[in-house]
Amino acid sequence: MEFSELIKTATVERVVLSRAGLPAVRGTLCITSHHLLLSSCRDDRPGTLELWLLIRSVDAVEKRLAGSSGTITLRCKDLKVLQLEIPGMEECLNIASSIETPEPEAGGRMAPLPPRAALPRDRLAGEPGGRNAAGLAQKRLPLCAGLPAGARAAGEAPEAAPTLHLPQTNRWRLSEVNQDFTTCPSYPPAVIVPAAVDDDILRKAARFRQGGRFPILSYYHRKNGTAMLRSSQPLTGPNRKRCLEDELLLGTVLDEGERGFIIDTRSAQAAKQARMTGGGTEPKSSYPQWRRLHRPLERGRPLQESFTKLVEACNDTSISMDRWLSRLESCRWLSHVKAALSTACLAAQCMDREEASVLVHGAEGTDTTLLVTALAQVILDPSCRTLLGFQGLLEREWIEAGHPFHLRCARSAYSHARLKQEAPLFLLFLDCVWQLSRQFPFSLEFDERLLLTLFDNAYASAYGTFLCNNEKERCLCKVKESTLSLWGWLNQPAERKKYLNPLYSPNALVIWPSVEPQSIQLWQGLFFRWIRSSQYLDEAWAEIQRLVESSNSPVNESAGNSLSRSLSNAAAQEDNER
Amino acid sequence: MEFSELIKTATVERVVLSRAGLPAVRGTLCITSHHLLLSSCRDDRPGTLELWLLIRSVDAVEKRLAGSSGTITLRCKDLKVLQLEIPGMEECLNIASSIETPEPEAGGRMAPLPPRAALPRDRLAGEPGGRNAAGLAQKRLPLCAGLPAGARAAGEAPEAAPTLHLPQTNRWRLSEVNQDFTTCPSYPPAVIVPAAVDDDILRKAARFRQGGRFPILSYYHRKNGTAMLRSSQPLTGPNRKRCLEDELLLGTVLDEGERGFIIDTRSAQAAKQARMTGGGTEPKSSYPQWRRLHRPLERGRPLQESFTKLVEACNDTSISMDRWLSRLESCRWLSHVKAALSTACLAAQCMDREEASVLVHGAEGTDTTLLVTALAQVILDPSCRTLLGFQGLLEREWIEAGHPFHLRCARSAYSHARLKQEAPLFLLFLDCVWQLSRQFPFSLEFDERLLLTLFDNAYASAYGTFLCNNEKERCLCKVKESTLSLWGWLNQPAERKKYLNPLYSPNALVIWPSVEPQSIQLWQGLFFRWIRSSQYLDEAWAEIQRLVESSNSPVNESAGNSLSRSLSNAAAQEDNER
């Protein structure tokens, strides 16, 4: 059944739209297959579009009937709350039932939107030529940060043989063992593995890892040639099974006498208990060169509840200061932010300071694992801190790496559905990146606005970028052919400008964040975005951006140089201070 | 006994100075009558002055001896912590005892520093000509914000008869009833009172108010002619005493049928209990036009303990996130900030929205009373939000109004002395102003750096501005003759520049802050100033300032105009949004 068939009332007149911080507007409500529209007609002006809302961005619908009219409260996935006062009880009920989207099936896939219909009207004008432009954008995204240029080119065109120029990278090769998604359904077709290990060994090692997620290269630290790998847990099970191919794979990563670190994102106890259900950890005896460190990170239901509780507390503006702080504490969101940043720092320190390679995994290897590997790269690698580099990181470490976006971000903080698989891991990552951007105001090319756009699109998007749970599903759904890419949209010059940090000055150094609890702040720009207007803060920011631009223009060249010099000095100090 | 006589060891070689976030330095420690100096002599360079510390800025001294050497930890009133490793046990003990300043006597006065000796070396070069420059700066400070120019000129020269030009101000006059400090020892010689009330009535009314603090004009709201008065509590006592002169004084403030509000900064119960010790409140029956509102604000020991606990928690960087948030909650500092802002908003609302005059008092009328009246003026009056206007506000509403700085700011958060009279009311005020500056980034001409400088100087200063407890004591100590004024120093062009908010755009509107608990933030710039370096944030800010300046230069005039226009628009929106 097409969604459009569910629409019983397509248009209602004299609907009043209310939003926090904005005056109420009266207009005509119109419901289409994908959108909810409200156009106001004030006395003297033609109808202006006041609302253009993607129906799938609605997280929860509440209806309240009073007399012959009703009020519908729409709580959106981006945390926005809208109210519609609708004259006519039947109309109200019909509109509400049209918006109440069916729950996604477990493991199911959300049907992609047709590329043109999906875009808001104002966006169609500047549409960058569909997937082609997006494809171009993606062409520039390397398969793995830190690998030299030759290896990157290979990553872009998996059909060509990888050309590894630099001596230190002859240890790694591109493998197409997963070309048809049979070795690991959640991995992309091409992965980087130790050169000494052939595809047969990979296939066997994959059988020893949950979901087939055998250890692959996530990041190569050029400075000292150390590597960060990621995988899922080994299927040790209650009988302490071993797998020689897995041991061989990890063994070839380290030279004789070298030591590596396995960062397990579960507690030692949880890792041990996982043996009962077929999982487990790498025993010291079978992996003698690897030392295991346990850094438990929350995921799943507890993390989702933390998010829900935080949003509830943020929306409750009538509470006392004590109650607010106590709820901020008890929701534990900031603890999760701190823990994620600390663990990412640990991984980065192992590589950068201990000069040791690292393997990161939890259980499935699709959640906290990716949180840690992606964050560690932002900390270590300046190329991940550019607008384009960050997109590449998201593509590699979240989308292609098989973070199940569809399951994790099916519902946001308001839904009462409480699906089992939901968890805001990606939001937690964005929050951690925001903390980095706050602590290092010069070192990220993009700013908060990009992070907010990514959050919005991960939960409900007109673009195909975050659809489905992994590359295999995206192939089956023909996402690449039938949707537009968010990157293609973002990278248009006019759009790109909106996300740039005016104070950016490339910083070649590692940015070690402070992870003391006093340094971690609540991300007001996200959690209070729709509660309190930040218009004047936004304008201040826009003004600073304009000033930097005009100072970099030829007339002001000397000023521009001095800016860039002063910022570079500051950037260098950032590292020295730590 | 002169302080210099207490110095047993004047110079020690090879002392190592350590500070958080900075590399340790070895050098020669030198102790003078007022300062502690450390000059380093690195291999190739001549001695550079690494430390120039006012001894009275030390809040607590701890010594630890180990073998033949010792370590002295100095905890300063500005919350900085220093460590000195001193070779030689005797030297260590001597240095420590020289620094351990005697406790100030209750009600005592700190001896002013000789003007030249008091200034750090780098400041002497640019010294603005002593008190004269200061005097000039003070000349420009009006006696009462909001009064028209004629009344202000009178305020500057109390000996001249007040010239009140505007019709609405013929209700107020300047009185010199307190010229010799006999009517009220904690009031300045000149005060503004209702014109209909003569000095005899004032003298009688003063006897009915604690410490003689009869109701005087604090702020005149030009927009609608309402007034804010302040006083101490009436001495109603257990027998419900009345005072016709006091009733008359307050009665003349309101026209027939007009209503005024008394904002009592104590709970209704506390105000009632105060009758047992001779105090009390204005009973409805005797002041029929005045409606009493109770808004309890913390002061005294509980407030000092809140400050101490907060600083302790901020310095404990090894705690968990939960523990940090729980300590932030239990210290209640942010609750006090919220309560102070809310009460100031209430006073401002009474005047601006209810068009009603207001009387503010607690018990003594020297603490929470001033907090509320000063804050309400920053909210209501744009002239209090300029650098000079804010200095005038501090002069009027804190210094001349008789906030006992010497007693309240004798010790800061580290001292174990726990004097009875200490309380960080002034710091709480500065924190509230910081909250306003954060919520209204365009509307204050000065920025955080001014607030930090004021905090530092209120607790320990080379200037005379915050010395003593009231004007009477300042006269006795000849503070004006024998010390320099902080304002004179701040208002020199080169110095003044350091405190300006680059985004400032005059905003004629009232700035209504959000006082929801989620809007109140911990003032990181103060509480983490010495714990975490903010050098790169400072540099970013300096860069923005430079950009604004260059954009306002003639070459960029159009850009400058657009900046100013855009900021004014934003400033106007600030108000409309609320």
Side-chain angles (χ1 to χ4, degrees):
Chain A
M1 186 163 69
E2 272 289 299
F3 180 79
S4 54
E5 292 166 37
L6 295 168
I7 303 172
K8 290 173 195 148
T9 300
T11 308
V12 192
E13 306 277 347
R14 286 178 299 116
V15 170
V16 178
L17 164 70
S18 318
R19 284 162 291 190
L22 287 172
V25 205
R26 186 185 298 269
T28 304
L29 185 75
C30 185
I31 184 161
T32 75
S33 352
H34 300 294
H35 290 93
L36 202 67
L37 290 82
L38 188 118
S39 58
S40 69
C41 32
R42 292 185 195 146
D43 307 342
D44 47 350
R45 274 179 284 170
T48 46
L49 199 57
E50 301 280 352
L51 182 71
W52 177 286
L53 186 75
L54 207 55
I55 290 172
R56 65 167 61 165
S57 76
V58 175
D59 201 33
V61 182
E62 284 159 32
K63 39 188 187 283
R64 215 181 55 232
L65 297 174
S68 66
S69 73
T71 305
I72 299 180
T73 303
L74 300 179
R75 295 180 196 278
C76 301
K77 292 178 184 169
D78 64 1
L79 311 182
K80 182 167 56 208
V81 179
L82 307 173
Q83 277 202 330
L84 298 168
E85 275 171 61
I86 296 172
M89 208 170 77
E90 204 188 321
E91 283 83 354
C92 181
L93 291 173
N94 286 345
I95 294 282
S97 76
S98 301
I99 300 169
E100 280 164 340
T101 48
E103 300 304 334
E105 308 130 46
R109 294 176 290 268
M110 189 175 267
L113 296 174
R116 296 203 143 254
L119 283 181
R121 217 165 44 170
D122 64 322
R123 297 209 159 183
L124 281 175
E127 192 191 329
R131 190 71 194 186
N132 287 347
L136 270 178
Q138 282 189 327
K139 272 271 177 319
R140 271 171 286 148
L141 307 177
L143 190 65
C144 169
L147 271 190
R152 282 183 192 186
E156 285 159 34
E159 57 280 0
T163 44
L164 302 171
H165 293 306
L166 293 188
Q168 67 263 46
T169 59
N170 60 14
R171 297 186 68 141
W172 300 96
R173 71 178 183 95
L174 199 84
S175 163
E176 293 167 54
V177 65
N178 198 41
Q179 208 170 6
D180 50 4
F181 303 110
T182 47
T183 310
C184 171
S186 64
Y187 269 174
V191 290
I192 299 179
V193 293
V197 172
D198 66 27
D199 284 359
D200 258 357
I201 294 180
L202 295 178
R203 276 186 208 100
K204 286 177 185 150
R207 278 183 229 127
F208 185 63
R209 294 275 171 177
Q210 184 172 357
R213 294 175 73 90
F214 56 92
I216 59 171
L217 185 69
S218 159
Y219 172 67
Y220 177 80
H221 198 41
R222 286 176 86 168
K223 182 177 152 189
N224 54 20
T226 53
M228 179 160 62
L229 294 96
R230 54 178 162 75
S231 68
S232 59
Q233 65 179 341
L235 300 176
T236 320
N239 304 324
R240 298 173 184 264
K241 238 193 331 192
R242 288 178 61 173
C243 170
L244 292 178
E245 289 80 6
D246 190 80
E247 291 167 21
L248 178 69
L249 201 167
L250 286 179
T252 60
V253 172
L254 307 177
D255 281 331
E256 223 182 292
E258 261 185 4
R259 196 176 56 161
F261 289 96
I262 296 173
I263 297 177
D264 194 319
T265 60
R266 303 165 294 178
S267 68
Q269 202 196 355
K272 209 171 165 186
Q273 278 176 347
R275 289 220 308 268
M276 295 304 123
T277 50
T281 47
E282 295 83 356
K284 187 86 199 147
S285 53
S286 325
Y287 302 84
Q289 283 177 272
W290 293 88
R291 196 181 145 199
R292 222 168 54 228
L293 302 169
H294 291 275
R295 291 293 180 278
L297 295 179
E298 205 58 88
R299 59 191 191 115
R301 278 306 288 281
L303 192 65
Q304 178 70 16
E305 270 164 26
S306 169
F307 175 41
T308 309
K309 277 188 191 166
L310 174 58
V311 171
E312 253 171 39
C314 288
N315 282 316
D316 185 352
T317 52
S318 63
I319 49 177
S320 72
M321 179 61 79
D322 291 0
R323 187 89 190 93
W324 157 244
L325 288 174
S326 138
R327 284 172 72 173
L328 187 61
E329 178 196 341
S330 72
C331 80
R332 309 212 67 238
W333 182 260
L334 294 177
S335 300
H336 302 321
V337 172
K338 177 178 151 63
L341 274 173
S342 304
T343 309
C345 280
L346 174 68
Q349 271 161 3
C350 287
M351 298 180 74
D352 193 67
R353 298 198 169 160
E354 302 287 318
E355 307 213 329
S357 289
V358 171
L359 167 68
V360 183
H361 72 71
E364 290 95 335
T366 55
D367 296 288
T368 49
T369 303
L370 306 180
L371 178 63
V372 173
T373 58
L375 263 181
Q377 291 178 55
V378 180
I379 292 168
L380 286 172
D381 191 341
S383 77
C384 292
R385 299 179 216 136
T386 65
L387 185 61
L388 212 59
F390 191 65
Q391 291 170 26
L393 178 77
L394 295 184
E395 216 22 81
R396 284 194 316 272
E397 291 296 311
W398 286 95
I399 299 169
E400 293 179 0
H403 177 65
F405 276 100
H406 180 64
L407 290 172
R408 297 292 181 264
C409 304
R411 294 286 177 175
S412 174
Y414 294 125
S415 169
H416 302 295
R418 308 208 178 257
L419 303 174
K420 240 168 131 184
Q421 295 266 15
E422 282 165 354
L425 268 307
F426 186 63
L427 171 60
L428 187 58
F429 167 73
L430 295 176
D431 196 332
C432 291
V433 175
W434 178 81
Q435 307 284 343
L436 289 171
S437 76
R438 213 184 54 80
Q439 291 192 25
F440 298 90
F442 301 114
S443 298
L444 275 69
E445 193 189 15
F446 50 89
D447 68 11
E448 180 182 57
R449 289 166 294 187
L450 179 75
L451 304 175
L452 293 173
T453 301
L454 291 169
F455 166 68
D456 295 349
N457 279 276
Y459 279 83
S461 181
Y463 299 95
T465 303
F466 292 106
L467 282 185
C468 305
N469 293 307
N470 50 52
E471 290 295 281
K472 185 182 174 187
E473 287 186 13
R474 280 178 208 109
C475 276
L476 286 172
C477 285
K478 297 198 176 13
V479 167
K480 291 200 180 169
E481 293 78 18
S482 60
T483 69
L484 294 173
S485 155
L486 178 64
W487 312 138
W489 171 260
L490 289 183
N491 292 329
Q492 299 172 99
E495 195 65 16
R496 170 187 157 83
K497 243 178 96 171
K498 294 182 196 164
Y499 305 105
L500 293 178
N501 168 13
L503 297 177
Y504 176 60
S505 169
N507 172 3
L509 303 168
V510 177
I511 50 170
W512 297 113
S514 157
V515 294
E516 287 156 7
Q518 296 97 335
S519 302
I520 310 293
Q521 298 227 325
L522 184 63
W523 185 7
Q524 300 243 348
L526 180 97
F527 292 105
F528 295 113
R529 181 161 46 144
W530 310 106
I531 300 171
R532 257 195 298 289
S533 168
S534 64
Q535 190 173 356
Y536 45 91
L537 281 177
D538 294 347
E539 291 198 24
W541 208 231
E543 197 45 44
I544 292 166
Q545 193 159 18
R546 208 194 50 69
L547 284 169
V548 171
E549 273 165 26
S550 78
S551 130
N552 284 330
S553 72
V555 181
N556 271 306
E557 208 168 334
S558 65
N561 286 346
S562 119
L563 165 70
S564 147
R565 196 173 47 248
S566 132
L567 295 188
S568 305
N569 291 345
Q573 276 151 8
E574 284 178 10
D575 193 76
N576 294 339
E577 282 158 20
R578 282 158 201 292
Chain B
M1 185 164 68
E2 272 289 298
F3 179 79
S4 53
E5 293 166 38
L6 295 169
I7 302 173
K8 289 175 199 145
T9 300
T11 308
V12 192
E13 305 278 347
R14 286 178 300 117
V15 170
V16 178
L17 164 71
S18 319
R19 285 165 290 190
L22 287 173
V25 206
R26 185 187 298 268
T28 304
L29 185 76
C30 185
I31 184 158
T32 75
S33 352
H34 300 294
H35 290 94
L36 201 67
L37 290 81
L38 188 118
S39 58
S40 69
C41 33
R42 293 190 195 144
D43 306 340
D44 45 349
R45 276 178 283 170
T48 47
L49 200 57
E50 301 281 351
L51 182 71
W52 177 284
L53 187 76
L54 208 54
I55 289 172
R56 65 167 61 163
S57 75
V58 175
D59 202 31
V61 181
E62 285 159 31
K63 41 188 185 285
R64 215 181 54 234
L65 297 173
S68 66
S69 72
T71 305
I72 299 181
T73 303
L74 300 179
R75 295 180 196 278
C76 300
K77 291 179 185 170
D78 64 1
L79 310 183
K80 183 167 54 208
V81 180
L82 306 173
Q83 279 202 328
L84 297 169
E85 275 171 61
I86 296 172
M89 209 168 77
E90 203 187 323
E91 283 83 355
C92 181
L93 291 172
N94 286 346
I95 294 282
S97 77
S98 302
I99 301 169
E100 280 163 342
T101 49
E103 299 305 331
E105 309 130 45
R109 294 178 290 270
M110 188 176 269
L113 294 175
R116 295 205 144 250
L119 282 181
R121 215 167 46 171
D122 64 322
R123 297 208 160 184
L124 281 175
E127 194 190 328
R131 189 73 192 185
N132 288 347
L136 271 178
Q138 281 188 330
K139 270 271 178 316
R140 272 170 286 149
L141 307 176
L143 190 66
C144 169
L147 273 189
R152 284 183 191 186
E156 287 161 30
E159 58 280 2
T163 45
L164 301 171
H165 294 304
L166 292 188
Q168 67 265 42
T169 59
N170 59 15
R171 299 187 67 143
W172 300 97
R173 71 175 182 96
L174 199 82
S175 164
E176 293 168 55
V177 66
N178 198 41
Q179 209 170 4
D180 52 4
F181 303 111
T182 48
T183 310
C184 171
S186 64
Y187 270 173
V191 292
I192 299 178
V193 294
V197 172
D198 65 28
D199 284 358
D200 258 355
I201 295 183
L202 295 179
R203 276 185 209 100
K204 285 177 186 150
R207 279 182 228 126
F208 185 61
R209 294 275 172 178
Q210 182 170 359
R213 295 176 71 91
F214 56 91
I216 60 170
L217 184 68
S218 158
Y219 171 69
Y220 176 79
H221 197 41
R222 288 177 84 168
K223 183 177 151 190
N224 56 19
T226 52
M228 179 160 62
L229 295 95
R230 53 179 162 75
S231 68
S232 59
Q233 65 178 343
L235 300 176
T236 319
N239 303 326
R240 295 172 186 267
K241 239 193 328 190
R242 287 179 62 173
C243 171
L244 292 178
E245 288 80 5
D246 190 79
E247 291 166 22
L248 178 71
L249 199 167
L250 286 179
T252 60
V253 173
L254 306 177
D255 281 331
E256 223 184 291
E258 261 186 4
R259 196 176 55 160
F261 289 96
I262 295 173
I263 298 178
D264 193 319
T265 59
R266 302 164 295 178
S267 67
Q269 204 197 352
K272 211 170 164 185
Q273 279 177 347
R275 288 220 307 269
M276 296 303 125
T277 50
T281 47
E282 294 83 358
K284 187 87 200 145
S285 54
S286 326
Y287 302 83
Q289 283 178 271
W290 293 89
R291 198 184 143 198
R292 219 169 55 229
L293 303 170
H294 290 276
R295 291 293 180 277
L297 296 180
E298 204 59 85
R299 58 189 191 115
R301 278 304 291 278
L303 193 65
Q304 178 70 16
E305 270 163 25
S306 169
F307 175 41
T308 310
K309 277 188 192 167
L310 174 58
V311 171
E312 252 170 40
C314 288
N315 282 316
D316 186 352
T317 51
S318 64
I319 50 176
S320 73
M321 178 61 78
D322 291 0
R323 187 88 190 95
W324 158 244
L325 287 173
S326 139
R327 285 172 73 172
L328 187 61
E329 179 197 340
S330 72
C331 81
R332 307 210 72 238
W333 183 261
L334 294 177
S335 300
H336 302 322
V337 172
K338 177 179 151 62
L341 274 173
S342 304
T343 309
C345 279
L346 174 69
Q349 271 161 3
C350 287
M351 300 180 73
D352 193 68
R353 299 201 168 158
E354 303 286 317
E355 307 212 331
S357 288
V358 170
L359 167 67
V360 183
H361 71 71
E364 290 95 336
T366 54
D367 295 286
T368 50
T369 304
L370 306 181
L371 179 64
V372 172
T373 57
L375 262 182
Q377 291 178 55
V378 180
I379 291 167
L380 286 172
D381 191 340
S383 77
C384 294
R385 298 179 217 135
T386 64
L387 186 59
L388 212 59
F390 190 66
Q391 292 170 26
L393 179 76
L394 296 184
E395 230 358 274
R396 284 195 315 275
E397 291 296 311
W398 287 95
I399 298 168
E400 293 179 359
H403 177 65
F405 276 99
H406 180 64
L407 289 173
R408 297 291 181 265
C409 305
R411 293 288 176 173
S412 175
Y414 294 126
S415 168
H416 301 296
R418 309 209 177 256
L419 304 173
K420 238 167 134 184
Q421 296 266 16
E422 283 166 352
L425 267 307
F426 186 64
L427 170 61
L428 187 58
F429 167 73
L430 296 176
D431 197 332
C432 291
V433 175
W434 179 80
Q435 307 284 342
L436 289 171
S437 76
R438 212 185 55 81
Q439 291 191 27
F440 298 91
F442 300 114
S443 298
L444 275 69
E445 194 189 12
F446 50 88
D447 69 10
E448 180 183 58
R449 287 166 295 186
L450 179 74
L451 304 174
L452 293 174
T453 300
L454 291 168
F455 166 68
D456 295 349
N457 278 277
Y459 278 82
S461 180
Y463 300 95
T465 302
F466 293 106
L467 282 185
C468 304
N469 293 307
N470 50 53
E471 290 294 280
K472 185 182 174 186
E473 287 187 12
R474 278 178 211 108
C475 277
L476 287 171
C477 287
K478 298 199 176 10
V479 167
K480 290 201 182 172
E481 293 79 13
S482 60
T483 69
L484 294 173
S485 155
L486 179 64
W487 312 138
W489 171 260
L490 289 183
N491 293 329
Q492 299 172 101
E495 195 66 16
R496 174 187 154 83
K497 243 179 96 174
K498 294 182 195 163
Y499 305 105
L500 293 177
N501 168 12
L503 297 177
Y504 175 61
S505 169
N507 172 6
L509 303 168
V510 177
I511 51 170
W512 296 114
S514 159
V515 294
E516 287 156 7
Q518 296 95 337
S519 301
I520 310 294
Q521 298 226 323
L522 183 64
W523 185 6
Q524 299 245 347
L526 181 95
F527 292 105
F528 295 114
R529 182 160 43 144
W530 309 107
I531 301 171
R532 256 195 297 291
S533 167
S534 63
Q535 188 174 359
Y536 45 92
L537 282 176
D538 294 347
E539 291 200 23
W541 209 231
E543 196 46 44
I544 291 166
Q545 194 160 17
R546 208 193 50 73
L547 285 169
V548 171
E549 273 165 26
S550 77
S551 130
N552 283 330
S553 72
V555 182
N556 271 306
E557 208 168 336
S558 65
N561 287 345
S562 117
L563 164 69
S564 147
R565 197 173 48 249
S566 130
L567 295 189
S568 306
N569 291 344
Q573 276 152 9
E574 284 179 11
D575 193 76
N576 295 339
E577 280 159 22
R578 283 155 201 291

